[in-house]
Short mmCIF file of all heavy atoms in Angstrom, two decimals:
data_model
loop_
_atom_site.label_atom_id
_atom_site.label_comp_id
_atom_site.label_asym_id
_atom_site.label_seq_id
_atom_site.Cartn_x
_atom_site.Cartn_y
_atom_site.Cartn_z
N ASN A 1 123.93 115.69 164.28
CA ASN A 1 123.59 114.55 163.48
C ASN A 1 123.46 114.97 162.03
O ASN A 1 122.98 116.06 161.72
CB ASN A 1 122.28 113.93 163.94
CG ASN A 1 122.45 113.07 165.15
OD1 ASN A 1 123.53 112.61 165.46
ND2 ASN A 1 121.37 112.85 165.86
N TYR A 2 123.83 114.06 161.16
CA TYR A 2 123.70 114.29 159.73
C TYR A 2 123.10 113.02 159.12
O TYR A 2 123.55 111.91 159.43
CB TYR A 2 125.07 114.58 159.10
CG TYR A 2 124.99 114.96 157.66
CD1 TYR A 2 124.53 116.21 157.28
CD2 TYR A 2 125.34 114.05 156.67
CE1 TYR A 2 124.44 116.57 155.95
CE2 TYR A 2 125.25 114.40 155.33
CZ TYR A 2 124.80 115.66 154.97
OH TYR A 2 124.70 116.00 153.66
N ASN A 3 122.06 113.18 158.30
CA ASN A 3 121.37 112.05 157.68
C ASN A 3 121.56 112.08 156.17
O ASN A 3 121.50 113.16 155.57
CB ASN A 3 119.87 112.09 157.98
CG ASN A 3 119.59 111.92 159.45
OD1 ASN A 3 120.22 111.13 160.12
ND2 ASN A 3 118.64 112.67 159.95
N VAL A 4 121.74 110.92 155.58
CA VAL A 4 121.82 110.76 154.13
C VAL A 4 120.81 109.70 153.74
O VAL A 4 120.85 108.58 154.27
CB VAL A 4 123.23 110.34 153.68
CG1 VAL A 4 123.27 110.07 152.19
CG2 VAL A 4 124.25 111.38 154.07
N VAL A 10 118.28 105.12 155.34
CA VAL A 10 118.78 106.38 155.88
C VAL A 10 120.00 106.07 156.72
O VAL A 10 119.93 105.26 157.66
CB VAL A 10 117.71 107.10 156.73
CG1 VAL A 10 118.26 108.42 157.24
CG2 VAL A 10 116.43 107.31 155.95
N PHE A 11 121.11 106.70 156.37
CA PHE A 11 122.35 106.54 157.14
C PHE A 11 122.55 107.82 157.94
O PHE A 11 122.30 108.92 157.44
CB PHE A 11 123.54 106.30 156.21
CG PHE A 11 123.38 105.06 155.39
CD1 PHE A 11 122.93 105.12 154.08
CD2 PHE A 11 123.66 103.82 155.93
CE1 PHE A 11 122.77 103.97 153.32
CE2 PHE A 11 123.51 102.66 155.19
CZ PHE A 11 123.06 102.74 153.88
N SER A 12 123.01 107.67 159.18
CA SER A 12 123.17 108.85 160.04
C SER A 12 124.48 108.76 160.82
O SER A 12 125.00 107.67 161.07
CB SER A 12 122.00 108.99 161.01
OG SER A 12 121.91 107.87 161.85
N GLY A 13 124.98 109.91 161.17
CA GLY A 13 126.16 110.01 162.00
C GLY A 13 126.13 111.32 162.75
O GLY A 13 125.55 112.30 162.29
N GLY A 14 126.71 111.33 163.92
CA GLY A 14 126.72 112.55 164.71
C GLY A 14 127.79 112.52 165.77
O GLY A 14 128.28 111.45 166.16
N ILE A 15 128.18 113.71 166.21
CA ILE A 15 129.14 113.85 167.30
C ILE A 15 128.59 114.85 168.31
O ILE A 15 127.75 115.68 167.97
CB ILE A 15 130.54 114.28 166.81
CG1 ILE A 15 130.47 115.60 166.07
CG2 ILE A 15 131.17 113.21 165.95
CD1 ILE A 15 131.83 116.16 165.71
N ALA A 32 130.05 109.89 169.87
CA ALA A 32 129.61 109.83 168.48
C ALA A 32 128.61 108.70 168.32
O ALA A 32 128.49 107.82 169.18
CB ALA A 32 130.80 109.60 167.55
N GLN A 33 127.89 108.75 167.22
CA GLN A 33 126.99 107.67 166.88
C GLN A 33 126.94 107.50 165.37
O GLN A 33 127.06 108.46 164.62
CB GLN A 33 125.58 107.92 167.43
CG GLN A 33 124.89 109.13 166.84
CD GLN A 33 123.48 109.28 167.37
OE1 GLN A 33 122.91 108.35 167.93
NE2 GLN A 33 122.91 110.45 167.19
N LEU A 34 126.79 106.25 164.94
CA LEU A 34 126.60 105.90 163.53
C LEU A 34 125.38 105.01 163.46
O LEU A 34 125.19 104.14 164.30
CB LEU A 34 127.81 105.15 162.98
CG LEU A 34 129.12 105.92 162.88
CD1 LEU A 34 130.24 104.97 162.46
CD2 LEU A 34 128.98 107.06 161.89
N GLY A 35 124.54 105.23 162.45
CA GLY A 35 123.33 104.44 162.37
C GLY A 35 122.87 104.19 160.95
O GLY A 35 123.27 104.88 160.01
N ALA A 36 122.01 103.18 160.83
CA ALA A 36 121.36 102.86 159.56
C ALA A 36 119.90 102.54 159.87
O ALA A 36 119.60 101.84 160.85
CB ALA A 36 122.03 101.68 158.89
N THR A 37 119.00 103.08 159.05
CA THR A 37 117.57 102.89 159.23
C THR A 37 116.96 102.41 157.93
O THR A 37 117.33 102.90 156.86
CB THR A 37 116.90 104.22 159.64
OG1 THR A 37 117.53 104.72 160.82
CG2 THR A 37 115.42 104.05 159.90
N TYR A 38 116.02 101.48 158.02
CA TYR A 38 115.24 101.07 156.86
C TYR A 38 113.80 101.45 157.13
O TYR A 38 113.23 101.06 158.15
CB TYR A 38 115.35 99.56 156.61
CG TYR A 38 114.59 99.15 155.38
CD1 TYR A 38 115.17 99.29 154.12
CD2 TYR A 38 113.30 98.65 155.46
CE1 TYR A 38 114.49 98.93 152.97
CE2 TYR A 38 112.61 98.28 154.32
CZ TYR A 38 113.20 98.44 153.08
OH TYR A 38 112.52 98.09 151.94
N PHE A 52 109.64 101.68 160.74
CA PHE A 52 111.07 101.62 160.50
C PHE A 52 111.74 100.64 161.45
O PHE A 52 111.21 100.32 162.51
CB PHE A 52 111.72 103.01 160.64
CG PHE A 52 111.73 103.54 162.05
CD1 PHE A 52 112.81 103.29 162.90
CD2 PHE A 52 110.68 104.28 162.53
CE1 PHE A 52 112.83 103.78 164.19
CE2 PHE A 52 110.69 104.78 163.82
CZ PHE A 52 111.76 104.53 164.66
N ILE A 53 112.93 100.17 161.03
CA ILE A 53 113.85 99.46 161.91
C ILE A 53 115.18 100.21 161.83
O ILE A 53 115.51 100.80 160.79
CB ILE A 53 114.02 97.97 161.54
CG1 ILE A 53 114.47 97.80 160.10
CG2 ILE A 53 112.76 97.19 161.83
CD1 ILE A 53 114.84 96.38 159.75
N GLN A 54 115.90 100.22 162.92
CA GLN A 54 117.11 101.03 162.99
C GLN A 54 118.15 100.33 163.85
O GLN A 54 117.82 99.68 164.84
CB GLN A 54 116.76 102.39 163.60
CG GLN A 54 117.89 103.37 163.68
CD GLN A 54 117.39 104.69 164.25
OE1 GLN A 54 116.93 104.76 165.37
NE2 GLN A 54 117.49 105.73 163.45
N ALA A 55 119.40 100.49 163.45
CA ALA A 55 120.54 100.03 164.26
C ALA A 55 121.48 101.21 164.42
O ALA A 55 121.76 101.92 163.46
CB ALA A 55 121.26 98.87 163.58
N LYS A 56 121.93 101.44 165.64
CA LYS A 56 122.87 102.52 165.92
C LYS A 56 124.00 101.99 166.79
O LYS A 56 123.77 101.16 167.67
CB LYS A 56 122.20 103.68 166.65
CG LYS A 56 121.38 104.55 165.77
CD LYS A 56 121.05 105.85 166.46
CE LYS A 56 120.42 106.80 165.46
NZ LYS A 56 120.37 108.14 165.95
N TYR A 57 125.20 102.49 166.52
CA TYR A 57 126.33 102.18 167.39
C TYR A 57 126.75 103.47 168.07
O TYR A 57 126.92 104.50 167.41
CB TYR A 57 127.51 101.59 166.62
CG TYR A 57 128.53 101.02 167.57
CD1 TYR A 57 128.38 99.73 168.07
CD2 TYR A 57 129.61 101.77 168.00
CE1 TYR A 57 129.29 99.21 168.97
CE2 TYR A 57 130.53 101.25 168.91
CZ TYR A 57 130.35 99.98 169.40
OH TYR A 57 131.24 99.47 170.29
N PHE A 58 126.88 103.43 169.38
CA PHE A 58 127.22 104.60 170.18
C PHE A 58 128.65 104.48 170.67
O PHE A 58 129.04 103.46 171.24
CB PHE A 58 126.26 104.72 171.37
CG PHE A 58 124.83 104.91 170.96
CD1 PHE A 58 123.97 103.83 170.84
CD2 PHE A 58 124.34 106.17 170.68
CE1 PHE A 58 122.66 104.00 170.46
CE2 PHE A 58 123.03 106.35 170.30
CZ PHE A 58 122.18 105.26 170.19
N PHE A 59 129.43 105.53 170.46
CA PHE A 59 130.81 105.62 170.94
C PHE A 59 130.82 106.63 172.08
O PHE A 59 130.41 107.79 171.88
CB PHE A 59 131.74 106.12 169.83
CG PHE A 59 131.74 105.26 168.60
CD1 PHE A 59 130.85 105.49 167.57
CD2 PHE A 59 132.65 104.22 168.48
CE1 PHE A 59 130.86 104.70 166.43
CE2 PHE A 59 132.67 103.42 167.36
CZ PHE A 59 131.77 103.67 166.32
N SER A 60 131.27 106.24 173.25
CA SER A 60 131.32 107.12 174.41
C SER A 60 132.76 107.45 174.76
O SER A 60 133.69 106.73 174.37
CB SER A 60 130.64 106.44 175.60
OG SER A 60 130.77 107.21 176.77
N LEU A 65 130.96 102.11 177.94
CA LEU A 65 129.60 102.50 177.58
C LEU A 65 129.35 102.45 176.07
O LEU A 65 128.26 102.80 175.62
CB LEU A 65 129.30 103.90 178.11
CG LEU A 65 129.41 104.03 179.63
CD1 LEU A 65 129.17 105.47 180.06
CD2 LEU A 65 128.44 103.09 180.32
N ASN A 66 130.34 102.04 175.27
CA ASN A 66 130.12 101.87 173.84
C ASN A 66 129.14 100.72 173.64
O ASN A 66 129.14 99.75 174.39
CB ASN A 66 131.42 101.53 173.12
CG ASN A 66 132.41 102.67 173.12
OD1 ASN A 66 132.07 103.80 173.45
ND2 ASN A 66 133.63 102.38 172.74
N GLY A 67 128.30 100.83 172.61
CA GLY A 67 127.39 99.72 172.37
C GLY A 67 126.45 99.98 171.22
O GLY A 67 126.40 101.07 170.65
N ILE A 68 125.66 98.95 170.90
CA ILE A 68 124.73 99.00 169.79
C ILE A 68 123.31 99.07 170.33
O ILE A 68 123.00 98.49 171.39
CB ILE A 68 124.93 97.78 168.86
CG1 ILE A 68 124.18 97.98 167.55
CG2 ILE A 68 124.54 96.49 169.54
CD1 ILE A 68 124.58 97.02 166.48
N GLY A 69 122.47 99.77 169.60
CA GLY A 69 121.04 99.83 169.92
C GLY A 69 120.26 99.39 168.70
O GLY A 69 120.57 99.81 167.57
N LEU A 70 119.25 98.54 168.90
CA LEU A 70 118.38 98.09 167.83
C LEU A 70 116.97 98.57 168.15
O LEU A 70 116.49 98.38 169.27
CB LEU A 70 118.41 96.56 167.71
CG LEU A 70 119.78 95.95 167.44
CD1 LEU A 70 119.69 94.43 167.51
CD2 LEU A 70 120.30 96.40 166.10
N TYR A 71 116.30 99.18 167.16
CA TYR A 71 115.02 99.81 167.38
C TYR A 71 114.03 99.42 166.28
O TYR A 71 114.42 99.20 165.14
CB TYR A 71 115.14 101.34 167.36
CG TYR A 71 116.20 101.87 168.28
CD1 TYR A 71 117.49 102.12 167.82
CD2 TYR A 71 115.94 102.09 169.63
CE1 TYR A 71 118.48 102.59 168.65
CE2 TYR A 71 116.93 102.56 170.48
CZ TYR A 71 118.19 102.81 169.99
OH TYR A 71 119.15 103.27 170.83
N ALA A 72 112.77 99.37 166.62
CA ALA A 72 111.68 99.27 165.66
C ALA A 72 110.66 100.30 166.10
O ALA A 72 110.44 100.51 167.29
CB ALA A 72 111.08 97.87 165.68
N ARG A 75 106.60 106.23 163.05
CA ARG A 75 106.65 107.70 163.10
C ARG A 75 105.25 108.27 162.93
O ARG A 75 104.52 107.86 162.04
CB ARG A 75 107.55 108.24 162.00
CG ARG A 75 108.98 107.76 162.09
CD ARG A 75 109.85 108.47 161.07
NE ARG A 75 111.05 107.74 160.78
CZ ARG A 75 112.14 107.69 161.53
NH1 ARG A 75 112.14 108.33 162.68
NH2 ARG A 75 113.19 107.00 161.17
#
Side-chain angles (χ1 to χ4, degrees):
N1 280 339
Y2 186 75
N3 295 320
V4 175
V10 181
F11 300 99
S12 61
I15 59 173
Q33 64 177 344
L34 294 174
T37 304
Y38 183 82
F52 69 91
I53 56 172
Q54 183 177 62
K56 283 195 170 194
Y57 192 84
F58 298 94
F59 301 90
S60 175
L65 300 177
N66 293 348
I68 193 166
L70 301 173
Y71 308 94
R75 300 187 201 282

